[in-house]
Amino acid sequence: MIEIIIDILIFIIGIYFGSFFTLAIHRLPKSENITYKASYCPNCNHKLGILDLIPIFSYTILGGKCRYCKNKIKIKYFLIEILSGIVFLLFFKTLKLEILDITNKEIIKIIFLSIYIATLFILAGIDKERKILPKSLIIFIISISVIYIIYSYTLNIENVYAYVIYLIMMIILLSLDTLILNRKVQYSYIIQILILILYMIIFSNIYNTIITIMLTILEIGIKNIIIYLKNKKSMIIKKEKIEKPIGFFLSVSNIIVIIMTNYIINYTIKI
């Protein structure tokens, strides 16, 4: 019974995270504040009340419409909240932690990994819509990497010096993007993707990152085949190259890989 209650609480926390993700995905590309500015309807800009901000529940009760202007709210917000709840529940379940006997070290680990997954969610959402990773978010993931590396050093983690090298590479790439390639959007996006990959190596290790890249290539390949077959069936020939949101595929793939890895380690491997 206690386990069920804990699972429900984790799911609720996850959907509230999802609600924050939708806000960040909408505001960060516009350089809007995501902490102090009150939530508002993206259609009529009306300030939202407490009853409008209950994840999943508010969307369902209001029929997917704004209480004030009656315009439809994009279903993606609803889906992100649900997916966030599911991902956080699966993530914590696969960690196989004893909540009642949890240690301070495990709590700190959960906090870091929760922040990591949160940034992947936000990066995926923004990249899916705009094919760009905001500079403010890039700076944030570098900052959280610095804090994580310092914490890892205090624990004498074996790979900490490799993490420092990855961090230096991230800073060099960010400097290169800012000083030289800022006006060349295509090359800037490549730099951002490389920083994201280094971020994944630090938090999910190099092996999981390699699997993530392989899964991403597979996903993009499958999507290309589907698009090709769809266009062929409808007799539509598109000459222009359709650019793929690589950051979106990488982020989604890495979350899947992390959950699967945790499951394999904690549920299938017998020590």
Side-chain angles (χ1 to χ4, degrees):
M1 185 63 183
I2 295 177
E3 186 177 348
I4 294 174
I5 293 173
I6 291 173
D7 289 346
I8 293 172
L9 288 175
I10 292 173
F11 179 78
I12 291 173
I13 292 171
I15 63 177
Y16 269 95
F17 263 97
S19 181
F20 172 74
F21 298 157
T22 61
L23 179 146
I25 290 168
H26 177 72
R27 293 189 184 183
L28 283 177
K30 299 179 179 180
S31 298
E32 292 185 15
N33 188 283
I34 63 173
T35 54
Y36 300 111
K37 189 175 181 179
S39 297
Y40 60 89
C41 171
N43 296 312
C44 65
N45 294 322
H46 194 288
K47 182 180 176 180
L48 300 180
I50 295 177
L51 295 178
D52 304 316
L53 297 173
I54 304 174
I56 298 178
F57 177 81
S58 295
Y59 185 93
T60 305
I61 295 298
L62 295 172
K65 295 180 181 180
C66 172
R67 184 193 301 274
Y68 310 99
C69 66
K70 306 304 179 184
N71 282 330
K72 286 187 176 182
I73 302 171
K74 293 180 180 179
I75 195 171
K76 69 177 181 180
Y77 298 127
F78 177 74
L79 294 176
I80 288 174
E81 290 174 353
I82 293 178
L83 286 173
S84 178
I86 293 172
V87 165
F88 272 82
L89 179 57
L90 290 174
F91 171 66
F92 282 99
K93 291 289 284 184
T94 55
L95 283 176
K96 204 176 181 180
L97 295 171
E98 295 293 336
I99 300 297
L100 299 179
D101 298 317
I102 195 167
T103 64
N104 291 333
K105 184 178 177 181
E106 288 173 330
I107 291 174
I108 295 173
K109 177 184 177 181
I110 289 172
I111 291 172
F112 273 118
L113 291 177
S114 296
I115 293 172
Y116 174 67
I117 290 178
T119 55
L120 291 184
F121 253 97
I122 296 170
L123 283 167
I126 294 174
D127 193 52
K128 183 73 165 61
E129 288 188 356
R130 301 172 180 269
K131 198 179 175 294
I132 189 173
L133 307 181
K135 191 66 64 69
S136 58
L137 202 51
I138 295 294
I139 293 173
F140 174 79
I141 67 176
I142 291 177
S143 301
I144 200 66
S145 296
V146 171
I147 297 171
Y148 180 69
I149 289 171
I150 293 172
Y151 172 70
S152 299
Y153 179 76
T154 63
L155 297 180
N156 294 317
I157 292 179
E158 185 178 352
N159 295 328
V160 68
Y161 295 107
Y163 293 165
V164 173
I165 294 174
Y166 300 141
L167 176 64
I168 292 172
M169 291 172 66
M170 291 167 73
I171 295 172
I172 291 174
L173 287 170
L174 178 62
S175 302
L176 181 65
D177 180 33
T178 303
L179 299 176
I180 302 175
L181 303 175
N182 198 34
R183 296 182 180 180
K184 299 180 180 180
V185 179
Q186 181 181 356
Y187 296 108
S188 181
Y189 185 66
I190 294 173
I191 293 293
Q192 292 165 1
I193 294 300
L194 290 175
I195 292 174
L196 175 57
I197 291 173
L198 291 169
Y199 181 53
M200 289 178 176
I201 293 174
I202 292 175
F203 278 90
S204 68
N205 75 54
I206 192 167
Y207 302 107
N208 281 343
T209 303
I210 291 172
I211 296 172
T212 295
I213 293 171
M214 292 172 63
L215 184 57
T216 297
I217 294 171
L218 178 62
E219 289 171 352
I220 293 176
I222 292 173
K223 184 170 184 179
N224 283 335
I225 292 172
I226 292 173
I227 291 173
Y228 172 78
L229 294 175
K230 186 177 179 181
N231 291 340
K232 188 176 181 180
K233 185 176 180 180
S234 59
M235 302 301 289
I236 297 175
I237 300 176
K238 293 186 177 181
K239 293 183 179 180
E240 69 272 15
K241 183 179 179 181
I242 301 175
E243 296 182 339
K244 302 295 184 301
I246 299 173
F248 167 79
F249 286 109
L250 280 170
S251 298
V252 171
S253 298
N254 195 239
I255 290 173
I256 293 172
V257 170
I258 288 173
I259 291 174
M260 291 301 298
T261 301
N262 287 342
Y263 176 78
I264 292 170
I265 292 173
N266 296 317
Y267 285 91
T268 64
I269 297 177
K270 296 181 180 180
I271 300 176

